[in-house]
Amino acid sequence: MKRIAFSAAACATLAALPAIAEVESQDPIRLTTHDWTGQIINTTILQDVLQKAGYNTELVQADYIAQFAGLKTGDLHVATEIWETTGREAMDEAVATGNVVNMGEGGMIAIEEWWYPSYMEARCPGLPDWEALNNCASEFATSETAPLGRYLGGPVTWGGFDEERVEALGLDFEVVHAGTDAALFAELESAYQREAPIVLWLYSPHWAPAKYDGKFIEFPEYSKACYDDASVGINPDAAYDCGKPTGPIWKVAWAGVEDKWPGAAEIVRNYTLTNEEMGAMVSAVDLDGQSIEAVADQWMADNAAKVDGWIN
């Protein structure tokens, strides 16, 4: 009788656990993480959703653009954030090979561009028009870049064609890259508190555009032709003589995911976050000191019904 009772209890316990036996493979699904807080939060939540569905997962740190090599070969499996602003060319090239699949919009709309604090408008009349920058490049100069102004770009791995844009538009600026996402925003905080000159890469969704009073530089309007054809745009001899695109943040996957883990592929396609959700979560981590895991756990608890809908 004891043996029968134990078996019943064991069955009840197993029934309460995720349906591991029902997933197509227990080989780990490798999700890429990069070097900014929001993307790591995003990927951690997707990992939690997949694990709740019974899938085995791994987080693998990878460069934002270089990750496509691994996605093409199947060494990496899912990437949660390919920004229309900086990653569209690499994504389209990878999808064209047939080895990478666009898994749809991730729910957020991306803006990435040069940004300055509003107090700089008194020192540089004409802002936010990009043509004002050369009239006051010295206002943005540092001892390392003078007489050129200094533009603080994101980490080199983010791409973005800032050096090409400076050359194409004839800007009297030197691009200096921050080493990390954290370093970028630490320098902004320091400059803002001192009202020191700064123009830098800022992006949304993020807490910074809400916390700091400032504006994005208004460059000539982006077009795909501006990036692809030197004859298009205000400089007939150079591409990238325009601003950066805006648009969706995409999800991509190795093409084999749909065959090996079709249920997981469907979850990835369904999974979305909003700009508002992401801004709040990044703020909780970067400003309030919460851990990424705690923030992801709270999101999972607050959105349990939505997650169950993605899984079932």
Side-chain angles (χ1 to χ4, degrees), residues 14-16 35 41 51 86 92 99 106 116 124 143 163 170 174 233 265:
L14 289 172
D35 51 0
I41 293 171
Q51 288 180 340
T86 53
D92 287 348
N99 297 320
Y116 65 91
C124 188
S143 58
E163 286 85 355
E174 179 177 335

Side-chain angles (χ1 to χ4, degrees), residues 170-253:
L171 295 174
D172 297 329
F173 276 74
E174 179 177 335
V175 178
V176 177
H177 290 279
T180 64
D181 180 64
L184 183 73
F185 290 103
E187 185 152 350
L188 171 57
E189 174 69 19
S190 175
Y192 199 87
Q193 293 301 323
R194 296 178 290 113
E195 294 198 354
I198 191 168
V199 57
L200 76 164
W201 180 323
L202 208 65
Y203 61 88
S204 176
H206 196 269
W207 50 262
K211 177 179 179 180
Y212 302 112
D213 182 25
K215 295 178 182 175
F216 289 105
I217 296 291
E218 296 175 357
F219 287 108
E221 186 176 357
Y222 166 82
S223 70
K224 189 175 187 302
C226 163
Y227 274 32
D228 295 341
D229 185 348
S231 68
V232 174
I234 65 173
N235 184 345
D237 299 316
Y240 306 105
D241 51 342
C242 60
K244 299 177 184 180
T246 60
I249 297 176
W250 304 91
K251 302 164 291 186
V252 300

Side-chain angles (χ1 to χ4, degrees), residues 126-141:
L127 289 176
D129 191 317
W130 71 274
E131 293 183 284
L133 289 171
N134 275 354
N135 296 330
C136 51
S138 61
E139 292 290 340
F140 293 98

Side-chain angles (χ1 to χ4, degrees), residues 5 35 41 55 63 102 146 168 172 197 230 243 270 291 298 303 306 311:
D35 51 0
I41 293 171
Y55 290 96
D63 286 346
N102 184 334
D172 297 329
N270 291 335
S291 71
Q298 186 62 57
N303 294 274
K306 181 189 294 185
I311 292 173

Side-chain angles (χ1 to χ4, degrees), residues 101-138:
V101 176
N102 184 334
M103 302 296 278
E105 297 183 17
M108 296 181 287
I109 300 298
I111 301 173
E112 292 184 276
E113 196 52 273
W114 294 33
W115 182 97
Y116 65 91
S118 291
Y119 59 75
M120 289 303 301
E121 292 182 348
R123 308 182 201 184
C124 188
L127 289 176
D129 191 317
W130 71 274
E131 293 183 284
L133 289 171
N134 275 354
N135 296 330
C136 51
S138 61

Side-chain angles (χ1 to χ4, degrees), residues 31-35 39-40 43-44 59-63 67 78:
L31 311 170
T32 62
T33 62
H34 308 317
D35 51 0
Q39 193 275 341
I40 301 172
T43 308
T44 300
L59 299 184
V60 180
Q61 186 173 3
D63 286 346
Q67 70 178 325
V78 177

